[in-house]
Amino acid sequence: MLAAASTLLTACASSGPIGTDPGIAVAELSALPAPATDETAIIRPQDSLRIDVLGFPELSRELQVSATGTFAFPLIGMVEAEGREPQAIAQDIAARLRGPYVVDPVVTVDVLEQPGRVFTMGGEVNKPGRYPVFGTMSLLEAVATGGGTTDTAKLGEVVIFRTVGDQRYIGIYDLGAIQRGNYADPTIYPGDIVQVGESPTLRRLQAITSLAPLITSPIILLDRVLR
């Protein structure tokens, strides 16, 4: 529960308290929580799809979901897509084709492009900017998408910002430790903000990162005031 996650922790007496910024608490979490809904699994307007009907190449096609969340499909007309998963859309098309048009249709729907599913890559990377999230993307893959780190990047100061519900979380990672396999490579979701190296926000967290080594696990923080 969020209440439990927001409990303040303190380091041992020799290292002093962790989370000295009054707006931040160290969360009792081993990883950033995932969004309540995986947006990459839900179809939205402007998404591009590939629809295949086994044995009927004339029905298979690539198309884009309209601004109203629908698309036209041969023989059956308009199909509602917005807010649905690809499998549900495939089942809908198959049910409507079955009988009058195809005896036993086998339909698959694959997502080709989701322009609204982006994350932000900033800091000490060669190509900062906003990038699409396709399928499952990890932090290492996200950094590679941003052209990799610069020569002056501080690999031990990689921060992921994520909002889940009405709560903002901050994950602090050691990219070098992840590359060496010392702990898992976290998943990046649409809406995430990734910062590598120096920035005003990272300097704000510097006291926390210097007190808590990142070799064996990331640090997950709870930002009590949304900024």
Side-chain angles (χ1 to χ4, degrees):
M1 294 177 63
L2 290 179
S6 63
T7 302
L8 284 173
L9 302 180
T10 56
C12 61
S14 60
S15 60
I18 296 178
T20 55
D21 188 307
I24 293 177
V26 178
E28 293 185 55
L29 299 170
S30 60
L32 282 173
T37 301
D38 182 0
E39 289 295 318
T40 61
I42 302 299
I43 303 303
R44 296 283 184 258
Q46 309 306 316
D47 287 357
S48 295
L49 308 176
R50 169 72 189 181
I51 302 176
D52 290 297
V53 182
L54 185 64
F56 293 86
E58 67 276 14
L59 294 178
S60 300
R61 63 203 55 228
E62 295 180 4
L63 49 82
Q64 187 178 57
V65 179
S66 73
T68 61
T70 63
F71 61 85
F73 197 77
L75 303 178
I76 62 174
M78 301 304 295
V79 177
E80 293 286 341
E82 184 175 5
R84 305 175 74 185
E85 295 185 355
Q87 184 178 3
I89 297 172
Q91 292 171 347
D92 183 14
I93 294 173
R96 294 168 64 181
L97 287 174
R98 184 174 292 111
Y101 306 112
V102 182
V103 174
D104 190 15
V106 177
V107 180
T108 58
V109 176
D110 296 306
V111 179
L112 299 179
E113 186 176 6
Q114 296 178 305
R117 316 310 198 279
V118 297
F119 74 98
T120 301
M121 188 83 234
E124 294 297 317
V125 291
N126 290 303
K127 297 178 181 180
R130 302 180 74 204
Y131 294 96
V133 177
F134 296 116
T136 302
M137 174 179 280
S138 72
L139 176 58
L140 289 178
E141 291 171 330
V143 172
T145 299
T149 58
T150 66
D151 292 338
T152 58
K154 296 184 178 180
L155 299 185
E157 296 181 2
V158 178
V159 178
I160 301 173
F161 299 90
R162 178 177 301 156
T163 300
V164 180
D166 59 357
Q167 180 62 62
R168 192 187 200 196
Y169 293 88
I170 305 169
I172 307 177
Y173 295 86
D174 185 332
L175 199 65
I178 295 172
Q179 292 170 333
R180 293 189 296 272
N182 290 345
Y183 59 82
D185 189 6
T187 300
I188 299 300
Y189 292 94
D192 283 356
I193 300 173
V194 181
Q195 285 281 335
V196 177
E198 281 293 333
S199 76
T201 302
L202 289 174
R203 287 195 293 273
R204 171 171 165 251
L205 303 174
Q206 187 173 15
I208 300 171
T209 61
S210 65
L211 288 173
L214 300 177
I215 298 302
T216 58
S217 66
I219 301 171
I220 308 301
L221 306 175
L222 191 65
D223 199 349
R224 295 199 296 263
V225 179
L226 295 181
R227 289 166 169 77

